[in-house]
Structure formats: structure tokens, C-alpha cells
Amino acid sequence: MNLEEKLYNIYADNKDKLNMDIPDFIREYADIAANSIIKNGIPDKSYENYKYSDFSGFLNNGLEYSLEPEKTNIDLNEYWQCQVPDMDTQVILLSNAWYYEKNNLENKFPKGVIVCGLREAFVKYPEIVKKHYSKYLPQNKDGYIDLNTAIARDGVFIYVPKGVKIDKTIQLVNLIHGFANRAVMQRNLVVLEEDASLRMIICDHTLNRTQNFINSLTESYIGKNAHLEYYSIQNEPDTAALLNTLCFYQEANSHLTNLAFSLHGGSLRNNVYSTLAGERAHSNLYGLFLSDKKQRVDNYTYIDHKAPTCTSNELYKGILDDNARGAFSGKIMVRPDAQKTEAYQTNNNLCLTDTAKMRTKPQLEIYADDVKCSHGATVGQLDQEALFYLQSRGISKKEAKLMLMFAFANDIVRNIPVIPLKEQISGLVDNRLRGEFTECKHCLLNCSRNR
Amino acid sequence: MLSIKNLHAEIDGKEILKGINLEIKAGEIHAIMGPNGSGKSTLASVLTGRDLFTVTEGKVVFKGRDLLEMAPEDRAREGVFLSFQYPIEIPGVSMVNFMKTAVNEQRKYKGEKPLSSAEFLKFMREKKEMVEIDTQLTNRSVNEGFSGGEKKKNEIFQMAMLQPDFAILDETDSGLDIDALRIVANGVNKLKTPNNCALVITHYQRLLDYIVPDIVHILYDGKIVKSAGKDLALELEEKGYEWIKNELAK
Ligand SMILES: Nc1ncnc2c1ncn2[C@@H]1O[C@H](COP(=O)(O)OP(=O)(O)OP(=O)(O)O)[C@@H](O)[C@H]1O
Ligand SMILES: [Mg+2]
């Protein structure tokens, strides 16, 4: 039996359990996706877009699939103490991607706002879900997305009605625990109606040193003139693989800032699809990845300019040490109607050793004539002259290197508009570059200590 | 204070310094002049520990210690300072953070307590006034977008912050307007004490009107070919390097 058949069977054998109490349209999506796994395959290195990431090793590794809500005896709320100082945040917990039953969000948000588990939303808000679920997935088939659609049944659902601005920052924390190697499928749906605004942070925390495979997919609809700020903070053990796909759909005048911080992890893959569907929509895509030892990190972005006068600005930066492998592949598509598009893409990388390798592939595909687009990529080493300049003032070589790396990384960090959050993330990046534990000061989980 | 004996250095197998001998005592200022490519900046690089160059022969003793054995940062902490001919821009590293780190690493090396932020800022303000450097410059990244003259002023500002025992000024005068030249030279003179020394590399006699050297050396093809009092600079300006070539040919 090949991998695709194995995965198909996980769906087929557990269909009753998976599809219990959910609306028909979700079942239909799941059926189609499961069949597509067989038809289109699970990408490995032979797929152009997955040349540098291969999770089949993880998937063939006797993973335990989490196929129904997991009851936990421990009170995760007690366990979890994360907070960004001086920032009004609301933590929402997921337990192996299942919405944690003891999240207590009553009266925490303005009227009309819905925040609940996706599974709950399937039943309680089927009209909203139906309008958006699986509607913003890429046209090109991706077996990991199919896998998610086939068997992911929970995650968070957020609905922000017209004109509502949520001041609190929503922090979604997915705690991954258990003793077996887990396959965790997370599915989120975030809907912002016209003029709505939301800032959210997604963190994944693995509590055990198991060989987990996390396949997370978020779809987000950003209505007219709505604002979304979306952060992913990835801090996984060397044994874990995390695949994170974000699909954004933007209406006219909407504004998206997506910031991805890949701080640590055995194998990380970030897919970002952003569709600019309404005029004057703006997308900022930022990514910082720090990778060492034998870690892998792969970034794939696809910005689809469908409407005229939209702008996009993309900057990804990576620092690779030891034997790390990094990749960036970014496509900007400008459709024939998308006149007066402005799209800029840059990817800069530092390889600190001869054995660290980075592949970068920026791509522009332009079908409109009146556009301003640019792309560029660099792979280099620390500037030896700058290093010497700092040393010549009495700064140790180690500190001088850190200063230069930090300056390099700060091009991403400084785009965080909220100061307390910027300081928090800046601290995490600094610790990471210093080879110290990358955990927030207040975190009691100590998960980065069991690496 | 500084003693250089028979110093040879090469890059990519090409010998640039071909046996330099130089003694600088505490309280002295020496000037080095010499045609383009004669090895002046190379000497500065070798003394500060740039690893592009390989020392093949010779010895340098600074304050009784073997300088060539030391890492660049330790040379700096011991009191060696170079005002670069071409100061590099370092985007993303703020002047304040850079100088604070440098000052405190030096203090740590000497067993002194690090300066608090307030103490540091006060100290920095004083030094900025001394070299008349624009406040805005220290709010920016190191040398980023600085004009040529501003970069040179910034070097002297750093020198004032670090208070070296031995300063090498590599063409600090080039690119400075007349006022800036005077300010920079005044700064250098104010930093001068009977306990420290300096090596001033320049092409122009004019700087030496402000910073008056005890001895002027002429570096030619990797060797010091002539050393004399400050009038040598005047003579050189008048007669040009042809004169030295002819002297050597004799
Ligand atoms: N990085 C390098 N690689 C190769 N050759 C070098 C390098 N740096 C210096 N050189 C060579 O060494 C010689 C001396 O250069 P140096 O910069 O020391 O001269 P200089 O006396 O300072 O000249 P100038 O007055 O123009 O500043 C020159 O021939 C130069 O080409
Ligand atoms: Mg020179």
C-alpha cells in the first residue's frame, strides 16, 4: 500500500467517526479531498513546489491520528500562563488542534463576534461556514491541503461582523501533547466582514519530544476595508514537522499584514496564498526564519493580483547555520485585469557556514502592462568588513556576529506595529540567535528545554 | 609605547609591507606620508588585526605585549584605535547600541562596572559636543547614509568615546571641508595627553598644521625610506615623490 492509499484509508476507515454530526457540505468536501489524495498524490521532492520539503518520512512513521476531540484531565488554563506584558490578549487553547472545552470566552468580545471551535461552528453557524469554508484554497492541487480537508475537523472559528474592531489580540495556542508520534490536523476559519479589524497570533507548542506532524490550514476572508494582522510563531522541537498553510482572500481596500516567525523546528513549511480580489487591497507578507543543526525550513508564497490598483509588499529573510537547509519560492501573479498593480518581493538570506544551504526562487508572472513589479533575492555571508569594524572597537567576534544577525533579522521584526509585541518577539529572536531557550519569559511550559 | 620591528606582511602571496621599523613613544605624534598603494592602510590593518593580511616576519610590541598575538577586539580593549580610511556602513546596527556595547566591553575588560543607560547617554553627549557631531547622526544606524565628511567625524567621535592609548588616523582629513577639518583636528588635539600616542596617515601637509607631528615618515613601496621632523612634510609637498625616488636611486 502506498502512502496515498494509507492516508485515504485513514479517512475511509474512520468516516463515520469523522463525519458524525457535521453538515453534508463538509462531508462532501471531505470525500472529494480524500479522492484527490489518491488522484493527485501527496507531494514529495518530485513535485516542483515541494522540491525542498518532504514529509513522507514523517507520514510513514506510524503516526497516531487524532480523529476525535480529545478530553484532557489536566486543566490547560492553569498550565498556560503566556501573556505579552502590556498587551490586552485573549488566549484560546487548542489541544492537539481540538478546541479546548474549557476555553471560557463569554463576554470577552464585542457583541456579534463569534469565537468558537470550528466543529461547533459547523453545527451552529452553517451558513457562514458554508459561504467561506474551502472557498479560498489554491487552484493547484496540494495533497497536504486535501489531507487537511479530508480529516481535520476542528480548530478555531472567528467571525467579526461588519464594522467591529476587536481591540484584544487573539492568541491561539495549539498545545500538542501525548506520548505517541502524533499527526495533528488543524483547520481554522477567520471571517472579517466589511470594516472589521482583528489582530491574531498563532503559536504551536509541543510538550513532548515526539515526532509529530502538524498540518495546519487557515482560511481567511478579509472583507471590504477590513484589517487583519496575522502572526505565526513557530517554535517546535527538532523532531517535529510543521506544515502551515494560510489562504487569504482580500476584498477592496482591505489590508493584510502577515508575519511568520519560524524560530525553531525540525522541518517547517510555510505556504501563504494571498488573493487580492478587490481594488486597492494591500498585502504585506513578512517572514523570518532561523534554522540551524539539521533543520529544514521551506517557504512558499503565492500572491495573486486579480483586481486593479492593488499593492503587495513581500520580504522574507532567513539565517541558516550549521547544516540547515532553507528554501524560498515566491510567485507574484498579475492577472490581465490587474492594471496599476504594485508588487515588490525580496528574499535575503545569510548562510553562516559552508554547509548551510539556501535555495531561492522568486518568480513574477505578469499579464497586465501598466504595473510596477520587482523582485530580488540574495544569499550571502556575514559581512566580514562590518564584523571587523565592530571588533576593531572592542566588541567580541561573537557579539559582533550577533549584532549583525540581529540587525538582519530586525528588518522583519520592526514591521510589528504594536510595541509590546515587537519587544516580545524581538526578545525571542535575540535568544534564538544567542542559542538560548526561545520561550517567552512568562511561559511555564518550558517546552524548548526538552530539546 | 609601540615598537614595530622588521614587519613584513602579504596578501594573496603578494608582499605589501617589506620590513617596517617604527618606534612611537608615549606623548608622541608620528605622521606617515607616501604615494598611493605604498602600504599605509595595510600597516593600519595589520596593526589592528585584519586577518586579510598575513604577517610573514617581524614583531610588534604594544605596552610591553605582543600585539600580533592578540585578537582585534583585545587590541582595541588594550587601547588601539583605527580611524578607517573608508568607514563602512552597517545598516540595522544603531550608533547608540554599537557605542554602548563597545564602551561596556572595554570597561568589562578593564574590570570596571558597565555604564548605566543614563550614564552612557551623558558620556555620549559630552563627546558629541567635543567633536561637534550632529545629534541626529547618533540616532541612526552606523554610518548609514552619512556623508563622507560625517563618516570621518564619526570616527573621531568613536575615538573620543573609547579614549585609546594609540590612535591611527588613516586619511581622516580627506573628504573634510575646511571647518570640519579644524573641528576634527581640535578633537584629536583635545584627546592628546602625555600618556598616549598617535599615528597620522595623510597625503596633505595642511592637516599637520593642526595636528603637529613630532616625526614624519615616508612610506614607499612597503618600507619607511625617510624619517625627519615636521618640515619633511613641507619639503615633500613642495618637491613631490619624484624627489624621494631620485634620492633613493642615488
Ligand atoms: N584586499 C586587498 N587585496 C589585494 N590587494 C590589496 C588589498 N588591500 C590592499 N592591497 C594592495 O596593497 C597595496 C597597498 O595598499 P594600501 O591600501 O595599503 O595603500 P595606501 O598606501 O593606503 O594607499 P592610498 O594612499 O591610496 O590609501 C596596493 O597595491 C593594494 O592594491
Ligand atoms: Mg590608504
Side-chain angles (χ1 to χ4, degrees):
Chain A
M1 209 181 346
N2 66 21
L3 177 61
E4 281 79 7
E5 287 161 351
K6 252 197 251 174
L7 294 173
Y8 178 85
N9 285 347
I10 288 169
Y11 174 72
D13 296 347
N14 296 284
K15 221 170 152 174
D16 293 344
K17 187 158 49 179
L18 284 168
N19 291 346
M20 200 169 40
D21 302 330
I22 60 169
D24 286 342
F25 72 90
I26 301 286
R27 261 176 238 158
E28 279 160 29
Y29 278 123
D31 276 338
I32 295 168
N35 286 318
S36 170
I37 293 175
I38 298 284
K39 207 169 113 214
N40 299 299
I42 291 290
D44 58 24
K45 285 185 192 315
S46 67
Y47 286 62
E48 180 62 23
N49 287 342
Y50 277 85
K51 239 179 181 161
Y52 304 111
S53 10
D54 189 351
F55 296 106
S56 52
F58 285 89
L59 287 167
N60 278 315
N61 205 8
L63 291 172
E64 186 182 295
Y65 285 77
S66 178
L67 300 172
E68 56 194 324
E70 299 197 7
K71 293 262 181 267
T72 36
N73 294 325
I74 36 170
D75 186 346
L76 293 178
N77 281 316
E78 234 168 65
Y79 223 125
W80 181 257
Q81 299 278 328
C82 173
Q83 39 177 259
V84 181
D86 306 319
M87 199 165 121
D88 190 8
T89 54
Q90 177 60 54
V91 171
I92 300 169
L93 294 175
L94 302 179
S95 162
N96 289 331
W98 298 93
Y99 190 78
Y100 181 50
E101 69 272 17
K102 288 181 192 142
N103 280 320
N104 182 5
L105 305 178
E106 232 169 283
N107 302 325
K108 295 281 169 59
F109 297 109
K111 217 172 141 254
V113 172
I114 305 167
V115 180
C116 66
L118 182 64
R119 192 181 172 78
E120 190 183 335
F122 284 162
V123 180
K124 282 197 187 158
Y125 312 102
E127 298 78 37
I128 309 177
V129 174
K130 192 168 185 177
K131 201 168 153 198
H132 300 285
Y133 183 86
S134 279
K135 290 289 194 288
Y136 313 121
L137 303 180
Q139 277 168 354
N140 288 342
K141 280 287 165 197
D142 177 328
Y144 291 111
I145 293 179
D146 287 332
L147 180 62
N148 186 288
T149 304
I151 60 182
R153 288 294 179 275
D154 213 351
V156 76
F157 172 73
I158 300 177
Y159 177 79
V160 189
K162 186 171 168 181
V164 174
K165 300 191 172 17
I166 300 189
D167 296 327
K168 273 193 168 80
T169 298
I170 291 183
Q171 189 180 3
L172 183 68
V173 180
N174 185 20
L175 296 173
I176 294 145
H177 53 97
F179 297 101
N181 296 336
R182 308 300 298 263
V184 174
M185 304 282 150
Q186 181 183 343
R187 180 81 171 221
N188 306 313
L189 182 59
V190 177
V191 177
L192 270 63
E193 298 287 14
E194 201 173 326
D195 284 316
S197 99
L198 171 68
R199 171 184 304 123
M200 70 184 287
I201 308 173
I202 315 266
C203 309
D204 290 281
H205 269 273
T206 302
L207 303 182
N208 297 79
R209 212 187 142 80
T210 41
Q211 289 179 312
N212 301 318
F213 173 69
I214 306 160
N215 180 357
S216 171
L217 173 60
T218 302
E219 285 183 278
S220 178
Y221 171 83
I222 311 171
K224 271 187 201 156
N225 205 27
H227 278 239
L228 176 65
E229 229 174 88
Y230 196 95
Y231 301 80
S232 311
I233 301 178
Q234 299 163 346
N235 203 1
E236 286 292 316
D238 285 328
T239 47
L242 168 64
L243 189 148
N244 182 35
T245 303
L246 308 176
C247 306
F248 298 104
Y249 186 87
Q250 294 188 245
E251 298 282 16
N253 286 309
S254 66
H255 193 284
L256 164 72
T257 297
N258 181 58
L259 290 121
F261 295 91
S262 302
L263 298 176
H264 197 282
S267 196
L268 303 175
R269 161 94 183 192
N270 288 301
N271 297 317
V272 183
Y273 296 90
S274 143
T275 303
L276 296 149
E279 291 186 16
R280 285 179 303 281
H282 178 72
S283 256
N284 285 320
L285 302 189
Y286 297 108
L288 175 66
F289 47 100
L290 309 174
S291 200
D292 62 359
K293 294 170 277 184
K294 286 165 131 180
Q295 299 176 352
R296 274 152 208 279
V297 56
D298 185 2
N299 300 285
Y300 177 82
T301 68
Y302 189 111
I303 303 176
D304 196 351
H305 280 265
K306 283 192 160 150
T309 60
C310 292
T311 47
S312 67
N313 180 25
E314 181 175 21
L315 177 63
Y316 271 69
K317 299 190 90 169
I319 304 180
L320 305 172
D321 201 353
D322 305 325
N323 294 299
R325 296 276 177 279
F328 171 84
S329 166
K331 181 158 206 167
I332 298 175
M333 167 69 87
V334 182
R335 309 255 173 203
D337 288 342
Q339 295 297 356
K340 300 232 177 316
T341 286
E342 278 189 41
Y344 306 105
Q345 181 192 70
T346 310
N347 169 230
N348 302 125
N349 309 285
L350 281 180
C351 287
L352 303 179
T353 61
D354 292 341
T355 43
K357 294 261 178 310
M358 178 71 203
R359 327 263 172 172
T360 175
K361 195 168 120 191
Q363 300 169 77
L364 289 174
E365 207 173 314
I366 302 177
Y367 298 100
D369 45 23
D370 183 13
V371 301
K372 277 190 202 152
C373 295
S374 75
H375 65 167
T378 59
V379 180
Q381 283 135 15
L382 280 179
D383 182 342
Q384 294 300 311
E385 271 191 75
L387 206 55
F388 180 70
Y389 190 86
L390 297 173
Q391 280 179 277
S392 80
R393 299 309 187 229
I395 298 172
S396 70
K397 188 166 192 173
K398 182 167 172 255
E399 193 63 33
K401 279 185 177 174
L402 282 166
M403 285 172 92
L404 295 180
M405 286 193 275
F406 196 76
F408 181 85
N410 198 42
D411 273 347
I412 303 296
V413 178
R414 68 192 171 89
N415 296 297
I416 302 172
V418 219
I419 289 165
L421 185 61
K422 177 156 67 189
E423 284 172 358
Q424 180 95 346
I425 292 181
S426 176
L428 290 176
V429 169
D430 194 45
N431 285 349
R432 170 66 166 119
L433 293 174
R434 286 175 189 279
E436 291 165 8
F437 296 118
T438 40
E439 57 201 24
C440 306
K441 277 197 202 96
H442 304 271
C443 185
L444 299 184
L445 295 173
N446 293 343
C447 55
S448 76
R449 277 162 215 260
N450 55 34
R451 283 186 186 138
Chain B
M1 182 165 267
L2 180 82
S3 156
I4 304 175
K5 291 222 166 74
N6 190 30
L7 183 65
H8 290 252
E10 60 175 43
I11 185 161
D12 303 333
K14 183 177 148 208
E15 185 165 59
I16 311 287
L17 301 183
K18 303 176 178 173
I20 305 263
N21 292 292
L22 189 63
E23 296 280 337
I24 306 182
K25 297 199 181 66
E28 289 182 348
I29 294 179
H30 289 224
I32 289 194
M33 303 182 84
N36 295 133
S38 56
K40 303 180 298 297
S41 295
T42 302
L43 177 62
S45 294
V46 169
L47 292 178
T48 48
R50 184 82 216 260
D51 60 8
L52 269 176
F53 300 92
T54 319
V55 174
T56 50
E57 226 184 307
K59 205 169 163 68
V60 180
V61 176
F62 176 62
K63 299 201 296 192
R65 291 185 59 184
D66 183 348
L67 191 69
L68 300 178
E69 285 286 289
M70 295 157 82
E73 55 267 36
D74 286 334
R75 300 182 196 200
R77 293 162 182 172
E78 280 290 335
V80 176
F81 180 89
L82 169 61
S83 166
F84 286 82
Q85 183 175 0
Y86 305 110
I88 186 168
E89 301 194 6
I90 313 182
V93 174
S94 76
M95 269 308 293
V96 174
N97 186 29
F98 165 49
M99 270 296 105
K100 193 171 174 204
T101 310
V103 167
N104 282 335
E105 289 227 359
Q106 190 188 47
R107 292 178 69 91
K108 195 165 91 190
Y109 184 79
K110 291 182 176 159
E112 294 165 358
K113 270 206 319 220
L115 293 182
S116 70
S117 286
E119 286 167 330
F120 173 77
L121 290 173
K122 182 166 171 280
F123 181 58
M124 192 167 88
R125 199 163 340 112
E126 287 165 18
K127 301 300 172 187
K128 273 199 304 209
E129 278 165 19
M130 191 179 125
V131 293
E132 298 180 35
I133 186 168
D134 199 325
T135 305
Q136 285 176 0
L137 290 184
T138 51
N139 290 334
R140 306 212 322 234
S141 288
V142 179
N143 291 324
E144 194 184 26
F146 287 25
S147 75
E150 285 169 343
K151 283 180 184 164
K152 295 301 178 76
K153 265 194 178 178
N154 190 23
E155 295 293 289
I156 301 307
F157 163 66
Q158 293 172 42
M159 176 177 160
M161 294 291 290
L162 296 169
Q163 299 169 305
D165 293 331
F166 169 50
I168 307 166
L169 308 184
D170 192 355
E171 297 196 27
T172 303
D173 53 335
S174 54
L176 290 180
D177 65 42
I178 300 158
D179 288 344
L181 180 67
R182 193 175 30 78
I183 293 164
V184 161
N186 281 342
V188 173
N189 287 332
K190 276 188 231 162
L191 292 168
K192 190 77 208 54
T193 72
N195 301 319
N196 61 22
C197 60
L199 183 63
V200 179
I201 298 169
T202 184
H203 285 295
Y204 306 105
Q205 195 277 329
R206 194 183 52 198
L207 177 70
L208 304 179
D209 284 341
Y210 294 101
I211 304 174
V212 182
D214 298 287
I215 302 178
V216 176
H217 308 275
I218 296 173
L219 186 68
Y220 186 85
D221 191 22
K223 274 192 243 161
I224 290 180
V225 294
K226 201 171 174 71
S227 302
K230 66 174 193 302
D231 293 343
L232 180 59
L234 281 171
E235 202 174 351
L236 196 62
E237 184 133 292
E238 204 175 294
K239 299 181 179 167
Y241 289 112
E242 276 304 304
W243 161 63
I244 293 293
K245 269 192 218 167
N246 294 338
E247 287 242 313
L248 284 176
K250 272 184 210 164

